[in-house]
Amino acid sequence: MAKLKRDIGLLGLTFISVGGIIGSGWLFGPLLAVQHAGPAAVISWIIGAVAMFVLAITFAEISAMLPIPGGIARVPQFSHGNIVSMAMGWTAWIGYNTTAPIEVEAMLKYLAPYAPWLHTTETGDLTGAGITIALFFMLLFVAVNALGVKFFTQVNATLTWAKIAIPVILTALLIANRFDAQNFTQPDGFAPYGLQGIMAAVSTGGVIFSFIGFRHVVDMAGEVRNPKFAIPAALVLSIVLCAAIYLGLQIAFVGALDADMLKNGWAGLSFDGQGPLDGVIISVGFVWFLSVLNIGSVIGPFGNGLVATGSNARIAMALSKNGFLPKRLMILSSFGVPLWALALNFLIGVLFLLTVPFTTVIALNGAAIVLSFAVGPIAVVCLRHLMPDHPRSIRIPSVKLVAVSAFAIATLVVYWSGWDTVWRLGIALIIGMILLLARFRNRLDEMDVTEALWLLPYLIGIGLISYLGQFGDGALKQIPFGWDIALCVLFSAVIFGLAVRSALPAEKFREYIAEEEILDPKKPIIGL
């Protein structure tokens, strides 16, 4: 029987994470951040990077210790059983299935000025030819992944070098050609919108969401050489590297702005239909770089779609091992790739592309992915009790304090995604629960209900806070800004305590994890 091939080294794994973090968002991130925070957006990027680092290290300890494919879906099976793993894995799987259609449509939108036949003049929707090209690219994502993880990492590394080089070169060019330090204090000071503006840039300005691509490391962990070192190192390196790129680009963007651009204040900064970086490049005078920027705007979405396609196959494989999806999805090809999972995900992605409006797919993508971040902080504490003697290459100090902080960050990420995203998340979870009940219809006694009881108040609570809070279309905005964040943090601390106390008993844990052949069956486990 074919097995997964551990062909991903440190550089390849780091570039998988970097490729997921740096997409096309860097083309608009500097503008969105300064519109909320002014020059203090540089602080927002630091806050976002530190927050995501705290969240990432909880996954680092788990994935280095349990290097398994589709960790986002598989790890909660070990800590809390099948219902919680369904909630986390199902939503991540749905979200990843929307990524390839989104990235392909983004690529084609960037190509529209050069190939107007891709879209209709009246509505801007894809034409028949546009749909054919989109399907070709989605099939190309599958083909690259199907040829094995080694080939996939080589292709992704080539793309990622370009994704790193273009913003770095642009940063250097802007600073070298025009850098006005007075822009950081004029016209309204360094932080014209105060702490609220800085935090707004972290949330609605998209700063925190720019770093969530690190999750691909967790999903590809089952194919990593020397995972005890490579996984934590890749997570740390990718977040630090991407934070430096985003921060440098933000500093260069602020410094390169012409004073006339700021006549309406930072919140009123706009570029009359141009992309913000396009506008700055033209104003500085090196128009030749626009063609390079256009190349980057295509490479970014292509790389994201490629990585998400590979990660999603591992999530489908993990859900299959959990008993939620058909067992056939665990079958590996001679290249060590879950080919059936790739094929199923491709078909679902095609359905999204052909039947669901683009704006709805984007909203569903955000809704379905954000919840899965909550699993790491809870599981890292639970596994300290369930696997106390298992070797750990990285051991988080003051783990409960770090974990509850990370869980609060994960909750804030869900909240900041907005009510229009959260209610879609609720619908996705209801559909998933119906499918889970159907899957276990003749063996409902095998469902881990007790261990999942914390999940219902968590989902209801975050839904209520989101509905009454400040973010997203349809939110009532009844909870003042600042108080909403404090409420999310307090609520997270309460739920975190309940979740840790609801972990699987040692016997059930051993039953689930035995399939991974990780534990020594003769070694006792100390239960909670």
Side-chain angles (χ1 to χ4, degrees):
M1 182 178 177
K3 292 187 177 182
L4 291 169
K5 299 182 184 296
R6 292 193 176 273
D7 285 335
I8 306 177
L10 174 58
L11 182 62
L13 190 62
T14 301
F15 276 16
I16 286 173
S17 183
V18 171
I21 294 173
I22 299 180
S24 56
W26 65 272
L27 297 165
F28 304 96
L31 174 63
L32 293 174
V34 297
Q35 285 176 334
H36 287 87
V42 295
I43 297 178
S44 301
W45 286 107
I46 295 172
I47 292 173
V50 171
M52 201 53 69
F53 177 81
V54 171
L55 186 56
I57 60 172
T58 64
F59 287 94
E61 177 172 321
I62 296 169
S63 295
M65 179 178 63
L66 302 175
I68 52 180
I72 290 289
R74 193 76 178 127
V75 167
Q77 180 87 354
F78 303 149
S79 63
H80 287 85
N82 45 39
I83 296 178
V84 174
S85 68
M86 179 282 299
M88 303 301 176
W90 164 258
T91 54
W93 185 58
I94 291 295
Y96 280 27
N97 272 315
T98 63
T99 301
I102 287 172
E103 299 297 1
V104 164
E105 288 210 37
M107 289 170 57
L108 298 188
K109 286 184 185 298
Y110 288 123
L111 291 172
Y114 309 98
W117 48 269
L118 292 170
H119 300 85
T120 61
T121 306
E122 298 79 15
T123 63
D125 294 334
L126 290 175
T127 61
I131 290 173
T132 302
I133 298 298
L135 293 175
F136 167 77
F137 278 119
M138 289 177 63
L139 195 59
L140 185 59
F141 295 156
V142 173
V144 172
N145 277 279
L147 290 174
V149 72
K150 186 173 184 179
F151 180 69
F152 156 74
T153 52
Q154 290 171 344
V155 173
N156 181 65
T158 301
L159 295 172
T160 304
W161 277 118
K163 292 169 75 171
I164 292 172
I166 292 173
V168 168
I169 293 171
L170 176 58
T171 298
L173 286 172
L174 290 176
I175 292 175
N177 283 270
R178 185 167 71 197
F179 186 80
D180 189 349
Q182 290 187 348
N183 286 349
F184 287 87
T185 56
Q186 301 294 332
D188 301 311
F190 177 69
Y193 309 116
L195 179 61
Q196 180 170 342
I198 292 171
M199 294 309 298
V202 174
S203 54
T204 53
V207 168
I208 196 76
F209 294 97
S210 297
F211 290 97
I212 64 176
F214 79 82
R215 65 189 182 273
H216 297 298
V217 171
V218 181
D219 298 319
M220 303 296 291
E223 291 145 285
V224 177
R225 295 194 304 269
N226 191 15
K228 292 181 179 181
F229 171 74
I231 290 173
L235 285 169
V236 172
L237 285 172
S238 61
I239 290 177
V240 171
L241 175 60
C242 293
I245 291 172
Y246 281 129
L247 188 61
L249 187 60
Q250 186 69 74
I251 292 171
F253 178 81
V254 172
L257 292 173
D258 187 271
D260 290 341
M261 297 177 178
L262 300 175
K263 60 186 177 183
N264 295 321
W266 292 101
L269 179 63
S270 66
F271 292 87
D272 299 323
Q274 287 180 318
L277 297 182
D278 296 61
V280 170
I281 288 171
I282 292 171
S283 72
V284 172
F286 47 97
V287 181
W288 60 269
F289 196 79
L290 288 177
S291 58
V292 179
L293 198 66
N294 289 333
I295 293 172
S297 67
V298 174
I299 289 176
F302 184 89
N304 274 11
L306 182 67
V307 171
T309 298
S311 288
N312 199 29
R314 277 68 182 178
I315 291 179
M317 185 179 176
L319 287 172
S320 173
K321 203 159 193 176
N322 289 349
F324 185 64
L325 293 179
K327 293 296 183 184
R328 180 178 292 273
L329 300 183
M330 288 192 294
I331 299 175
L332 301 178
S333 70
S334 59
F335 289 99
V337 172
L339 205 56
W340 284 100
L342 281 170
L344 174 62
N345 294 344
F346 172 74
L347 292 176
I348 294 174
V350 170
L351 286 176
F352 277 121
L353 178 73
L354 298 180
T355 64
V356 183
F358 185 58
T359 53
T360 303
V361 174
I362 291 176
L364 183 60
N365 177 268
I369 289 175
V370 290
L371 181 65
S372 61
F373 287 97
V375 65
I378 295 171
V380 74
V381 174
C382 293
L383 292 176
R384 284 285 184 96
H385 293 279
L386 290 167
M387 304 177 71
D389 300 321
H390 196 77
R392 288 164 168 81
S393 60
I394 175 174
R395 194 175 185 93
I396 302 171
S398 304
V399 66
K400 289 185 178 179
L401 178 60
V402 172
V404 74
S405 301
F407 185 67
I409 291 168
T411 303
L412 285 169
V413 170
V414 177
Y415 170 64
W416 284 335
S417 67
W419 169 245
D420 50 335
T421 292
V422 170
W423 72 258
R424 288 181 170 89
L425 173 62
I427 292 175
L429 284 167
I430 291 171
I431 294 172
M433 183 54 65
I434 292 171
L435 294 174
L436 182 69
L437 290 171
R439 188 76 174 162
F440 282 80
R441 62 185 179 278
N442 297 322
R443 45 196 178 97
L444 295 178
D445 58 318
E446 296 180 18
M447 296 179 67
D448 303 305
V449 176
T450 302
E451 292 78 11
L453 289 178
W454 63 272
L455 191 59
L456 185 60
Y458 179 60
L459 296 174
I460 292 174
I462 196 63
L464 284 173
I465 295 172
S466 178
Y467 183 56
L468 298 172
Q470 295 287 321
F471 297 92
D473 294 337
L476 298 183
K477 305 187 187 302
Q478 295 297 306
I479 307 175
F481 184 86
W483 288 102
D484 56 346
I485 295 176
L487 180 60
C488 278
V489 171
L490 179 61
F491 173 69
S492 298
V494 174
I495 295 296
F496 180 84
L498 292 174
V500 169
R501 288 174 174 81
S502 301
L504 284 173
E507 296 77 15
K508 199 66 176 284
F509 162 74
R510 181 181 286 279
E511 175 187 333
Y512 284 143
I513 205 169
E515 300 175 17
E516 298 293 343
E517 301 177 353
I518 293 173
L519 289 179
D520 180 352
K522 298 180 180 179
K523 201 168 191 177
I525 297 177
I526 301 173
L528 288 173

Short mmCIF file of all heavy atoms in Angstrom, two decimals, residues 150-183:
data_model
loop_
_atom_site.label_atom_id
_atom_site.label_comp_id
_atom_site.label_asym_id
_atom_site.label_seq_id
_atom_site.Cartn_x
_atom_site.Cartn_y
_atom_site.Cartn_z
N LYS A 150 7.00 16.30 -3.78
CA LYS A 150 8.32 16.86 -4.10
C LYS A 150 8.22 17.82 -5.29
O LYS A 150 8.77 18.93 -5.26
CB LYS A 150 9.30 15.73 -4.41
CG LYS A 150 10.74 16.21 -4.61
CD LYS A 150 11.69 15.02 -4.75
CE LYS A 150 13.13 15.49 -4.85
NZ LYS A 150 14.08 14.33 -4.96
N PHE A 151 7.51 17.38 -6.33
CA PHE A 151 7.33 18.25 -7.50
C PHE A 151 6.51 19.49 -7.13
O PHE A 151 6.84 20.61 -7.55
CB PHE A 151 6.63 17.47 -8.61
CG PHE A 151 6.38 18.28 -9.87
CD1 PHE A 151 7.44 18.67 -10.66
CD2 PHE A 151 5.09 18.65 -10.24
CE1 PHE A 151 7.22 19.42 -11.82
CE2 PHE A 151 4.86 19.39 -11.38
CZ PHE A 151 5.93 19.77 -12.18
N PHE A 152 5.48 19.28 -6.33
CA PHE A 152 4.65 20.40 -5.87
C PHE A 152 5.49 21.45 -5.14
O PHE A 152 5.36 22.66 -5.39
CB PHE A 152 3.53 19.87 -4.97
CG PHE A 152 2.98 20.88 -4.01
CD1 PHE A 152 2.14 21.90 -4.44
CD2 PHE A 152 3.29 20.82 -2.66
CE1 PHE A 152 1.64 22.84 -3.56
CE2 PHE A 152 2.80 21.74 -1.76
CZ PHE A 152 1.97 22.76 -2.21
N THR A 153 6.35 21.02 -4.22
CA THR A 153 7.14 21.97 -3.46
C THR A 153 8.15 22.70 -4.35
O THR A 153 8.45 23.88 -4.10
CB THR A 153 7.88 21.28 -2.29
OG1 THR A 153 8.62 20.16 -2.79
CG2 THR A 153 6.91 20.80 -1.24
N GLN A 154 8.66 22.03 -5.37
CA GLN A 154 9.59 22.69 -6.30
C GLN A 154 8.89 23.79 -7.09
O GLN A 154 9.42 24.90 -7.24
CB GLN A 154 10.20 21.66 -7.24
CG GLN A 154 11.18 20.70 -6.57
CD GLN A 154 11.61 19.56 -7.48
OE1 GLN A 154 10.97 19.28 -8.50
NE2 GLN A 154 12.68 18.88 -7.12
N VAL A 155 7.69 23.49 -7.59
CA VAL A 155 6.92 24.50 -8.32
C VAL A 155 6.55 25.65 -7.41
O VAL A 155 6.69 26.83 -7.76
CB VAL A 155 5.65 23.87 -8.94
CG1 VAL A 155 4.77 24.94 -9.57
CG2 VAL A 155 6.04 22.82 -9.99
N ASN A 156 6.07 25.32 -6.19
CA ASN A 156 5.67 26.36 -5.27
C ASN A 156 6.84 27.23 -4.84
O ASN A 156 6.69 28.45 -4.67
CB ASN A 156 5.01 25.73 -4.03
CG ASN A 156 4.55 26.77 -3.04
OD1 ASN A 156 3.65 27.57 -3.31
ND2 ASN A 156 5.18 26.80 -1.87
N ALA A 157 8.02 26.61 -4.67
CA ALA A 157 9.20 27.39 -4.27
C ALA A 157 9.56 28.41 -5.35
O ALA A 157 9.90 29.57 -5.04
CB ALA A 157 10.38 26.46 -4.01
N THR A 158 9.47 28.02 -6.61
CA THR A 158 9.76 28.95 -7.71
C THR A 158 8.79 30.13 -7.70
O THR A 158 9.20 31.29 -7.83
CB THR A 158 9.65 28.21 -9.06
OG1 THR A 158 10.56 27.11 -9.07
CG2 THR A 158 9.97 29.15 -10.21
N LEU A 159 7.52 29.83 -7.51
CA LEU A 159 6.51 30.89 -7.45
C LEU A 159 6.73 31.79 -6.24
O LEU A 159 6.59 33.02 -6.33
CB LEU A 159 5.11 30.28 -7.38
CG LEU A 159 4.64 29.48 -8.61
CD1 LEU A 159 3.33 28.77 -8.30
CD2 LEU A 159 4.47 30.39 -9.82
N THR A 160 7.09 31.17 -5.11
CA THR A 160 7.22 31.94 -3.87
C THR A 160 8.43 32.86 -3.92
O THR A 160 8.39 33.98 -3.36
CB THR A 160 7.30 30.99 -2.67
OG1 THR A 160 6.15 30.14 -2.66
CG2 THR A 160 7.33 31.77 -1.36
N TRP A 161 9.51 32.43 -4.57
CA TRP A 161 10.65 33.34 -4.73
C TRP A 161 10.20 34.63 -5.43
O TRP A 161 10.59 35.74 -5.03
CB TRP A 161 11.77 32.68 -5.55
CG TRP A 161 12.68 31.78 -4.76
CD1 TRP A 161 12.88 30.45 -4.93
CD2 TRP A 161 13.52 32.17 -3.66
NE1 TRP A 161 13.79 29.97 -4.02
CE2 TRP A 161 14.20 31.00 -3.23
CE3 TRP A 161 13.75 33.38 -2.99
CZ2 TRP A 161 15.10 31.01 -2.15
CZ3 TRP A 161 14.66 33.39 -1.93
CH2 TRP A 161 15.31 32.22 -1.53
N ALA A 162 9.36 34.48 -6.46
CA ALA A 162 8.85 35.66 -7.16
C ALA A 162 7.93 36.46 -6.27
O ALA A 162 7.96 37.70 -6.28
CB ALA A 162 8.12 35.22 -8.43
N LYS A 163 7.08 35.77 -5.48
CA LYS A 163 6.15 36.47 -4.59
C LYS A 163 6.88 37.25 -3.51
O LYS A 163 6.38 38.28 -3.02
CB LYS A 163 5.19 35.46 -3.95
CG LYS A 163 4.22 34.84 -4.95
CD LYS A 163 3.48 33.67 -4.38
CE LYS A 163 2.40 34.08 -3.41
NZ LYS A 163 1.55 32.93 -3.02
N ILE A 164 8.05 36.78 -3.12
CA ILE A 164 8.87 37.51 -2.15
C ILE A 164 9.62 38.65 -2.84
O ILE A 164 9.66 39.78 -2.34
CB ILE A 164 9.88 36.56 -1.47
CG1 ILE A 164 9.16 35.55 -0.59
CG2 ILE A 164 10.91 37.35 -0.65
CD1 ILE A 164 10.06 34.45 -0.05
N ALA A 165 10.20 38.36 -4.00
CA ALA A 165 11.09 39.33 -4.66
C ALA A 165 10.35 40.58 -5.09
O ALA A 165 10.87 41.70 -4.92
CB ALA A 165 11.75 38.67 -5.86
N ILE A 166 9.15 40.44 -5.64
CA ILE A 166 8.46 41.61 -6.21
C ILE A 166 8.14 42.66 -5.15
O ILE A 166 8.49 43.84 -5.32
CB ILE A 166 7.21 41.16 -6.99
CG1 ILE A 166 7.65 40.38 -8.24
CG2 ILE A 166 6.37 42.37 -7.40
CD1 ILE A 166 6.51 39.74 -9.00
N PRO A 167 7.50 42.33 -4.02
CA PRO A 167 7.27 43.38 -3.01
C PRO A 167 8.55 43.90 -2.38
O PRO A 167 8.62 45.09 -2.01
CB PRO A 167 6.37 42.69 -1.97
CG PRO A 167 6.51 41.24 -2.20
CD PRO A 167 6.82 41.07 -3.64
N VAL A 168 9.58 43.05 -2.24
CA VAL A 168 10.84 43.52 -1.66
C VAL A 168 11.51 44.52 -2.59
O VAL A 168 11.99 45.58 -2.15
CB VAL A 168 11.77 42.32 -1.37
CG1 VAL A 168 13.18 42.81 -1.05
CG2 VAL A 168 11.23 41.49 -0.21
N ILE A 169 11.54 44.22 -3.88
CA ILE A 169 12.14 45.14 -4.85
C ILE A 169 11.34 46.44 -4.90
O ILE A 169 11.92 47.54 -4.95
CB ILE A 169 12.21 44.49 -6.25
CG1 ILE A 169 13.21 43.34 -6.24
CG2 ILE A 169 12.59 45.51 -7.32
CD1 ILE A 169 13.18 42.50 -7.50
N LEU A 170 10.02 46.33 -4.87
CA LEU A 170 9.18 47.52 -4.89
C LEU A 170 9.44 48.39 -3.66
O LEU A 170 9.55 49.62 -3.77
CB LEU A 170 7.71 47.12 -4.94
CG LEU A 170 6.70 48.27 -4.87
CD1 LEU A 170 6.92 49.27 -6.00
CD2 LEU A 170 5.27 47.74 -4.88
N THR A 171 9.58 47.75 -2.51
CA THR A 171 9.88 48.49 -1.28
C THR A 171 11.19 49.27 -1.43
O THR A 171 11.27 50.46 -1.10
CB THR A 171 9.97 47.53 -0.09
OG1 THR A 171 8.70 46.89 0.11
CG2 THR A 171 10.37 48.26 1.19
N ALA A 172 12.22 48.59 -1.94
CA ALA A 172 13.52 49.25 -2.11
C ALA A 172 13.44 50.39 -3.11
O ALA A 172 14.02 51.47 -2.88
CB ALA A 172 14.55 48.21 -2.56
N LEU A 173 12.71 50.20 -4.20
CA LEU A 173 12.59 51.25 -5.22
C LEU A 173 11.86 52.48 -4.68
O LEU A 173 12.27 53.62 -4.93
CB LEU A 173 11.85 50.71 -6.44
CG LEU A 173 12.63 49.74 -7.35
CD1 LEU A 173 11.70 49.15 -8.40
CD2 LEU A 173 13.80 50.47 -8.02
N LEU A 174 10.80 52.26 -3.93
CA LEU A 174 10.05 53.39 -3.38
C LEU A 174 10.89 54.18 -2.39
O LEU A 174 10.92 55.42 -2.43
CB LEU A 174 8.76 52.89 -2.70
CG LEU A 174 7.66 52.35 -3.63
CD1 LEU A 174 6.50 51.81 -2.82
CD2 LEU A 174 7.17 53.44 -4.59
N ILE A 175 11.58 53.47 -1.50
CA ILE A 175 12.40 54.16 -0.51
C ILE A 175 13.55 54.91 -1.18
O ILE A 175 13.90 56.04 -0.79
CB ILE A 175 12.92 53.16 0.54
CG1 ILE A 175 11.76 52.63 1.39
CG2 ILE A 175 13.99 53.80 1.43
CD1 ILE A 175 12.16 51.55 2.38
N ALA A 176 14.14 54.29 -2.21
CA ALA A 176 15.28 54.92 -2.89
C ALA A 176 14.87 56.12 -3.73
O ALA A 176 15.64 57.09 -3.84
CB ALA A 176 15.99 53.88 -3.77
N ASN A 177 13.67 56.10 -4.31
CA ASN A 177 13.27 57.16 -5.23
C ASN A 177 12.50 58.30 -4.57
O ASN A 177 12.63 59.45 -4.98
CB ASN A 177 12.41 56.57 -6.36
CG ASN A 177 13.25 55.84 -7.39
OD1 ASN A 177 13.71 56.42 -8.36
ND2 ASN A 177 13.45 54.54 -7.17
N ARG A 178 11.67 57.97 -3.57
CA ARG A 178 10.97 59.04 -2.86
C ARG A 178 10.53 58.54 -1.49
O ARG A 178 9.68 57.67 -1.39
CB ARG A 178 9.74 59.52 -3.63
CG ARG A 178 9.08 60.74 -2.92
CD ARG A 178 8.08 61.43 -3.81
NE ARG A 178 6.88 60.65 -4.04
CZ ARG A 178 6.01 60.89 -5.02
NH1 ARG A 178 6.26 61.85 -5.90
NH2 ARG A 178 4.94 60.16 -5.15
N PHE A 179 11.14 59.11 -0.48
CA PHE A 179 10.76 58.75 0.89
C PHE A 179 10.69 60.03 1.71
O PHE A 179 11.72 60.64 2.02
CB PHE A 179 11.75 57.78 1.51
CG PHE A 179 11.31 57.27 2.87
CD1 PHE A 179 10.37 56.25 2.97
CD2 PHE A 179 11.81 57.84 4.02
CE1 PHE A 179 9.95 55.81 4.21
CE2 PHE A 179 11.40 57.39 5.27
CZ PHE A 179 10.47 56.38 5.37
N ASP A 180 9.49 60.46 2.01
CA ASP A 180 9.27 61.68 2.77
C ASP A 180 8.90 61.31 4.19
O ASP A 180 7.77 60.89 4.47
CB ASP A 180 8.15 62.50 2.12
CG ASP A 180 8.02 63.90 2.74
OD1 ASP A 180 8.65 64.14 3.80
OD2 ASP A 180 7.29 64.73 2.18
N ALA A 181 9.85 61.46 5.12
CA ALA A 181 9.61 61.09 6.51
C ALA A 181 8.52 61.93 7.16
O ALA A 181 7.89 61.51 8.14
CB ALA A 181 10.91 61.22 7.31
N GLN A 182 8.26 63.13 6.60
CA GLN A 182 7.21 63.99 7.17
C GLN A 182 5.82 63.38 7.02
O GLN A 182 4.89 63.75 7.75
CB GLN A 182 7.25 65.36 6.51
CG GLN A 182 8.48 66.19 6.89
CD GLN A 182 8.39 67.61 6.35
OE1 GLN A 182 7.54 67.92 5.53
NE2 GLN A 182 9.27 68.48 6.84
N ASN A 183 5.66 62.46 6.09
CA ASN A 183 4.36 61.80 5.93
C ASN A 183 3.95 61.02 7.18
O ASN A 183 2.77 60.75 7.39
CB ASN A 183 4.39 60.83 4.75
CG ASN A 183 4.37 61.55 3.42
OD1 ASN A 183 4.14 62.76 3.35
ND2 ASN A 183 4.62 60.81 2.34
#
